[in-house]
Amino acid sequence: GAGVSQSPSNKVTEKGKDVELRCDPISGHTALYWYRQSLGQGLEFLIYFQGNSAPDKSGLPSDRFSAERTGGSVSTLTIQRTQQEDSAVYLCASSLFPRGPNEQFFGPGTRLTVL
Amino acid sequence: QQPVQSPQAVILREGEDAVINCSSSKALYSVHWYRQKHGEAPVFLMILLKGGEQMRHEKISASFNEKKQQSSLYLTASQLSYSGTYFCGTEGFSGAGSYQLTFGKGTKLSVIP
């Protein structure tokens, strides 16, 4: 079956512009996660969705970052007034069961470059 | 808090063995291991649960010492396909009332012929 998909694969934007990143999780997966990966910094947790609600937003770095999930499926991560330090690869993952010791399936990521 | 992985990078010749360590300052419920090849998404290798047994994925095995809050990944008779960055994720109970998975910075493994 289809895995996790993300779009766009690459996004170049100018400082100060808003961007939207999309994630399509595996069908039936209730949990969805957003991570940010900067060079040499590992996988930085941003936000976790269980269904359409986000019980853990503790990783969002500032109020410029927001995310939503609709229909228990597609999620959108929005970054407003982008800054150069927002440049990174943004990864989405989904898992069948709620947060806990179960496998996360990652998408290919969106590479964001802020000029 | 982010777990600490060591070494940061290692180069092996085909057939050699390696150990990657992961340690945390927090009490852990489980440890996850993922591998990411260059330009690709991270791929799940295994989960080790508190009180659980040592796990294996092909010729890769791992252990979890709950008391020391450490996990080690053992790569035996390495193959070229093992090259990539290995991430450990440590899972503990967060203040938000749920489990939280925190990844380390990764260990870059290069296997050469």
Side-chain angles (χ1 to χ4, degrees):
Chain A
V4 178
S5 60
Q6 293 186 243
S7 61
S9 55
N10 278 286
K11 177 71 177 179
V12 180
T13 190
E14 294 179 348
K15 179 180 172 182
K17 295 278 180 72
D18 298 350
V19 295
E20 283 190 355
L21 311 179
R22 177 186 168 107
C23 172
D24 282 88
I26 293 173
S27 177
H29 280 197
T30 61
L32 186 147
Y33 313 79
W34 281 98
Y35 295 92
R36 179 168 69 175
Q37 187 172 32
S38 304
L39 193 63
Q41 294 303 311
L43 299 163
E44 178 189 5
F45 166 77
L46 297 178
I47 187 169
Y48 158 63
F49 285 94
Q50 181 54 38
N52 291 334
S53 65
D56 189 352
K57 306 178 184 179
S58 62
L60 295 178
S62 75
D63 58 8
R64 297 187 295 106
F65 288 72
S66 63
E68 64 174 12
R69 189 179 184 194
T70 55
S73 180
V74 172
S75 177
T76 303
L77 177 69
T78 301
I79 308 173
Q80 295 179 311
R81 305 181 301 282
T82 51
Q83 303 294 313
Q84 288 183 331
E85 60 262 29
D86 299 335
S87 296
V89 176
Y90 289 82
L91 291 163
C92 172
S94 69
S95 62
L96 181 60
F97 300 110
R99 201 178 206 179
N102 59 95
E103 178 180 356
Q104 294 185 22
F105 295 82
F106 283 83
T110 293
R111 181 175 296 277
L112 175 66
T113 303
V114 182
L115 302 176
Chain B
Q1 285 174 325
Q2 189 175 39
V4 176
Q5 288 186 234
S6 63
Q8 290 183 318
V10 59
I11 299 175
L12 297 176
R13 290 199 177 275
E14 255 186 303
E16 291 183 336
D17 302 340
V19 180
I20 300 172
N21 298 304
C22 173
S23 63
S24 173
S25 59
K26 290 174 56 174
L28 302 177
Y29 177 75
S30 67
V31 178
H32 303 217
W33 286 95
Y34 285 78
R35 176 172 63 201
Q36 184 178 32
K37 293 183 180 287
H38 183 69
E40 299 181 9
V43 173
F44 172 80
L45 292 176
M46 63 188 81
I47 291 175
L48 297 103
L49 299 177
K50 185 176 178 179
E53 299 178 353
Q54 187 173 17
M55 300 295 291
R56 290 192 72 83
H57 171 83
E58 300 174 348
K59 288 188 177 179
I60 301 172
S61 62
S63 63
F64 177 21
N65 186 322
E66 300 153 26
K67 288 184 179 179
K68 291 187 177 180
Q69 294 156 195
Q70 293 176 345
S71 178
S72 294
L73 191 71
Y74 306 95
L75 298 101
T76 306
S78 58
Q79 305 169 14
L80 295 176
S81 61
Y82 286 3
S83 294
T85 299
Y86 289 77
F87 292 98
C88 75
T90 53
E91 191 163 41
F93 204 67
S94 76
S98 69
Y99 293 105
Q100 187 169 70
L101 184 65
T102 307
F103 286 97
K105 292 187 178 182
T107 296
K108 185 174 181 180
L109 178 74
S110 302
V111 181
I112 57 176

